Amino acid sequence: DTTRRMKLSVVVLAAACASCTGITLGPERPKAQLERSSALLALRGGEAAALTLPKLALGANIATWGFYGANLWAQPNFVLQKIMMAPSPMAFLAPNYAVAQYLGAFYLSQTARMALAFNKASSKSDLLGATVINSLLCLTSVGRIAGGVPANAVTLGLVAGQGAMAALSFVGFSKAA
């Protein structure tokens, strides 16, 4: 009977100890902390690197303007014929060719601006500029269609894409700190 009580006491003591894991008998040691580099956190966008509307708008502008900028700068006829529906290629020495390359350089500079704004605390002014640029591009495309450029899937797609980018940039601007 004594053995049985001793076994029961050990089981009760073990159960009591198992249920009181927060109680320590010795001095509590500090828990190991994972040190995080502030540079690493900055690259990740801070503690919580959540996708926000401003970051989404910046990313969309980076992708769109980067594509157009690189192609207009390096091979303007690709963009002008395949996307803008130009009837014939431009000659390299034609002033239009140089203007298209200047536009490509502009797009690339704005791509860099959006990339820099991606890691800034506030991207409000950058997204306001993107809203203005995308809105004017959309209005230009609408004006070209109103002026006689055929309204087809490509030209109407430009209007839709530029309008969507203007709207996304504006929403990002309105939500930016």
Side-chain angles (χ1 to χ4, degrees), residues 1 10 13 15 23 27 66 68-69 72 81 96 115 133 150 154-155 160 169 171 175:
D1 198 33
V10 169
L13 184 62
I23 300 173
Y68 278 100
L72 280 169
Q81 288 188 285
N96 301 11
I133 291 167
V154 174
T155 57
S169 297
V171 170
K175 299 288 184 188

Side-chain angles (χ1 to χ4, degrees), residues 19-164:
S19 66
C20 299
T21 56
I23 300 173
T24 59
L25 299 175
E28 190 172 330
R29 288 183 257 161
K31 294 181 180 173
Q33 296 269 336
L34 177 62
E35 289 189 32
R36 296 183 177 182
S37 162
S38 61
L40 178 62
L41 284 175
L43 286 174
R44 286 183 40 222
E47 238 356 278
L51 180 62
T52 61
L53 278 171
K55 287 192 184 247
L56 178 65
L58 290 168
N61 280 299
I62 289 168
T64 304
W65 290 351
F67 169 80
Y68 278 100
N71 281 294
L72 280 169
W73 186 65
Q75 51 184 354
N77 282 320
F78 170 78
V79 173
L80 294 170
Q81 288 188 285
K82 301 293 183 188
I83 298 171
M84 303 299 292
M85 305 302 292
S88 60
M90 294 181 296
F92 178 74
L93 295 177
N96 301 11
Y97 196 94
V99 170
Q101 287 185 307
Y102 294 154
L103 179 59
F106 167 78
Y107 271 135
L108 290 174
S109 73
Q110 292 305 305
T111 301
R113 181 177 179 178
M114 294 295 117
L116 288 174
F118 203 82
N119 291 321
K120 287 193 316 191
S122 176
S123 56
K124 199 162 191 80
S125 68
D126 301 295
L127 287 170
L128 175 61
T131 301
V132 171
I133 291 167
N134 287 318
S135 297
L136 291 173
L137 289 170
C138 185
L139 288 173
T140 301
S141 294
V142 168
R144 289 180 48 77
I145 292 170
V149 170
N152 56 37
V154 174
T155 57
L156 293 174
L158 277 173
V159 172
Q162 292 160 341

